[in-house]
Amino acid sequence: MAGVRGLVLAAVGLAGSIVLFVLSLVSVVLIVVGIGAFTTPWILTLVRHWANWRRLVAAEWCGVRIPATYRPFPEDLRGGPVGQVERCRLMLGDPATWRDLRWLPVDMTAGFVTALLPAALVLYPVEGYALAAGLWRVFTDGSRVGWWYGFVPISGEGSALLAAVLATALLATGLYTAPALLKVHFLLTRSVLVPADGELADRVRVLTETRRDAVDTSAAELRRIERDLHDGAQARLVAMGMDLGTIEALIEKDPARAKALLAQARQSSTDALSELRDLVRGIHPPVLAERGLGDAVKALALRLPVAVEVEVEGAGRAEAPVESAAYFAISEALTNAVKHADADRIWVDISHADGHLRIAVTDNGRGGAVLREGGGLGGVERRLATFDGVLAVSSPAGGPTMVTMEIPCVLS
């Protein structure tokens, strides 16, 4: 598998990096005549997607994590030509952009070699076995050297069998070293994409942003709780107090009217209690505290009007803040699937591996979901970033939509 993956990286990586490097170079040069100011943001966005794809496969294939340290765009960035020029200025002023551009020539040279080496060790032996199986007759009649396999001259059946011996040695070497060699490729990528002296500064910047987001989220949550209490349970309790005062005045004069008001007060108390329970559930569901994330999501799925399948792998509990963040992230993804995607079936997969809680919410709706600042999924992304978590959305037009979340944590 490492050999096949190395071959894919060598072929696709070489072509993609060459094309993007040439386009980036030409577009940046054309800035002086004005055209590049409009084309550069689009091309640099493609470069970022290309680098992010390499980050993704590095984590999935070899467990090498390459953090993305791009500076966010301001929320009030204008659209149109003026906004495009401003976006160009911001992207060229981001050190991460220049690291991406430096990485492209490295990827097409040293990256190509380090990706091709594990592929060669695993796939090159096929030629040696083919020669031993009779392919040598295509190159020689047995009287001369007609082909070379490595350092073995192929001149007949005997030398072809030596080629098979060499192929076996190469295959054995590849089976033990190809995964490590593929990891070297991603470590090389990491060494270029991650700032050596600025990693701590970028980390501080990310932590500052996530702390600010956490404070803003907490403040908004407190305002929501206060509003819900004021407009809901508090208003019902006040009305119930007024009803009780009226009952006290009517209990001797008009017992029938007092009895009706008692029934109304009892209903108000029931409604207030229900609203308080819903409010508590919105802050931290009791089932989440008592039974854990898996059972809380299953209970949430039962209240939805569509069929939801929940699959939980792995035992143990994460820390309460992590479980709470994951629960509300799943709740937002499920709500979006029901309200906006017109889905009639949803799948939730929860697992824990390699020190990370992984969640995937998939629906068969119409697709088109976008991860944007100020949206529901954007809020989920900020909530997860507080715990160094990440969120990715795949939602082509026509569906399906998959929302994937990953949060570093340790299960108890």
Side-chain angles (χ1 to χ4, degrees), residues 50-51 75 114 178 373 402:
W50 181 244
E75 297 182 4
T114 53
E373 191 71 24
M402 174 178 284

Side-chain angles (χ1 to χ4, degrees), residues 234-258:
Q234 178 178 329
R236 293 188 181 278
L237 290 174
V238 170
M240 186 175 65
M242 295 174 63
D243 289 341
L244 290 175
T246 305
I247 292 169
E248 186 178 6
L250 294 176
I251 194 166
E252 294 182 356
K253 298 179 182 179
D254 191 351
R257 176 62 177 162

Side-chain angles (χ1 to χ4, degrees), residues 98-109:
W98 297 103
R99 287 194 294 271
D100 287 349
L101 294 178
R102 286 197 303 268
W103 165 69
L104 292 176
V106 173
D107 187 56
M108 69 179 73
T109 53

